[in-house]
Amino acid sequence: MERRSLLRAAVIGGTSAALGGTLWRGAAYAAPAQPGTGPYGALGSPDANGIRLPSGFTSRVIARSGQRVGSTSYTWHNAPDGGACYADGTGWIYVSNSEINPSGGASAVKFSSTGAITSAYRILSGTRQNCAGGKTPWNTWLSCEEVSLGYVYETDPWGTSAAVQRPAMGRFKHEAAAADPVRKVIYLTEDETNGRFYRFVPAAWGNLSSGTLQVMVAGSATSGSFTWTDVPDPDGSPTATRSQVSGSKSFNGGEGCHYANDTVWFTTKGDNRVWQLNLLNNTYELAYDDSLVNGTAPLTGVDNITGASSGDLFVAEDGGTMDICVITPDDVVASFLRIDGQSGSEITGPAFSPDGTRLYFSSQRGTTGSSSGGITYEVTGPFRS
């Protein structure tokens, strides 16, 4: 589904009596909207898990850091972060990174067709501060190290094959990855205040052992055209990859990344923006900028991002009011859920089950504010299709 930029958006559920507004200075205001009336309606009171949800939705706790997952013998990792879901026969698997350093890595939980937890296990060990990542079309998980000269690791969600380091994808402070099967590339974000946006062009699609790392080249404006230029030294030493190409565009803290229908979206936490690249005509623009909504934005601390089959984007907050917000194809921005009592945490790893009826995510530090307090949740309900 094609998405336009938010030139006349309805921004709903802000901190004051929210009106329909615009995300761009100088544009006309849209018709007023009632607070909390996004596509799923108003948020209810906190449930037993402290989560405020629209009517018809329910939550459950899947795992807690340092505790066994369900009735399995596997102990869930600390600081759960980026995640993705994979079809597994009539069931599915949810994978989750661990953003601790050292000994980060990633784990997986396997579900039956009814949603019952059947097993949990480790799929990556001995790595550092695995933050976000991305799913490949060939059903592997790219787990990204958010450290200087960090690597991307390609992992097996089933835990059968050993994880493989992918140095050709560049060594930098990796955050998220998103696969584009049309252009046969992987997009990559960099979590630096002057980070860059990259793409990796494999020598052969489906094999990430070799290829070319490229960086986005564009002007300093918030919209315009862009090109790609090869990064001379993907190893990032002695010169960081973000400093190797003159004219490469700087982004303030690259975070989540999502691809769908010839468009890639990525977030930058330093300025609370969602960027949108139209890959058919090589142009970019802002899809969301909370500094331009006159203090009524429901979405702050933009971080991980995923998409639903409806074309809705779901954006998790790092801090803010601990919301997952929805941005619809017709440009409504509203809170979908909120976690109460966990202001020292952040929401991470949003991902939908293969049938689109369940949303998984984590509160990285839970109620304790510590990496050992992470909680991973599932929300079930009538998601739009």
Side-chain angles (χ1 to χ4, degrees), residues 305-320:
I305 185 171
T306 193
S309 59
S310 59
D312 294 332
L313 297 176
F314 286 76
V315 186
E317 288 189 341
D318 180 350

Side-chain angles (χ1 to χ4, degrees), residues 80-347:
D81 206 286
C85 281
Y86 298 79
D88 178 50
T90 58
W92 61 92
I93 296 168
Y94 177 67
V95 301
S96 170
N97 281 342
S98 175
E99 195 188 8
I100 58 173
N101 188 6
S103 304
S107 302
V109 182
K110 187 175 287 191
F111 299 87
S112 72
S113 60
T114 63
I117 296 171
T118 60
S119 63
Y121 44 91
R122 175 69 63 158
I123 61 172
L124 176 64
S125 299
T127 55
R128 305 168 296 163
Q129 202 159 323
N130 296 78
C131 197
K135 180 180 179 179
T136 69
W138 48 95
N139 285 326
T140 59
W141 168 245
L142 302 180
S143 184
C144 298
E145 289 185 313
E146 189 196 355
V147 294
S148 178
L149 299 180
Y151 287 102
V152 174
Y153 289 82
E154 188 170 14
T155 68
D156 175 13
W158 286 262
T160 302
S161 301
V164 180
Q165 191 180 85
R166 296 302 190 193
M169 300 184 76
R171 297 193 64 189
F172 52 87
K173 200 172 183 181
H174 283 277
E175 183 69 33
D180 176 351
V182 176
R183 279 145 287 272
K184 298 182 178 180
V185 301
I186 308 289
Y187 302 104
L188 301 161
T189 58
E190 180 178 26
D191 192 358
E192 299 275 8
T193 56
N194 61 342
R196 299 308 197 255
F197 189 69
Y198 304 88
R199 72 174 187 180
F200 178 68
V201 187
W205 187 233
N207 184 342
L208 304 179
S209 61
S210 63
T212 303
L213 182 68
Q214 298 181 324
V215 66
M216 178 180 168
V217 174
S220 59
T222 54
S223 64
S225 60
F226 68 89
T227 58
W228 300 101
T229 298
D230 293 355
V231 175
D233 181 14
D235 287 341
S237 180
T239 304
T241 54
R242 64 185 181 278
S243 302
Q244 292 182 24
V245 175
S246 177
S248 60
K249 187 168 179 60
S250 175
F251 294 98
N252 190 353
E255 290 287 338
C257 191
H258 175 68
Y259 168 85
N261 301 322
D262 298 311
T263 305
V264 62
W265 295 269
F266 63 97
T267 63
T268 50
K269 67 181 180 184
D271 46 18
N272 282 313
R273 287 171 166 172
V274 180
W275 299 82
Q276 173 180 319
L277 272 62
N278 183 324
L279 302 168
L280 293 178
N281 61 16
N282 287 339
T283 60
Y284 71 96
E285 59 190 312
L286 285 173
Y288 176 81
D289 183 353
D290 83 341
S291 70
L292 305 183
V293 292
N294 302 315
T296 63
L299 173 60
T300 59
V302 297
D303 203 305
N304 287 178
I305 185 171
T306 193
S309 59
S310 59
D312 294 332
L313 297 176
F314 286 76
V315 186
E317 288 189 341
D318 180 350
T321 50
M322 286 291 287
D323 287 11
I324 292 180
C325 288
V326 61
I327 304 177
T328 72
D330 54 354
D331 301 338
V332 170
V333 182
S335 297
F336 168 71
L337 67 77
R338 178 171 300 158
I339 304 177
D340 276 9
Q342 299 185 27
S343 59
S345 186
E346 62 184 276
I347 298 181

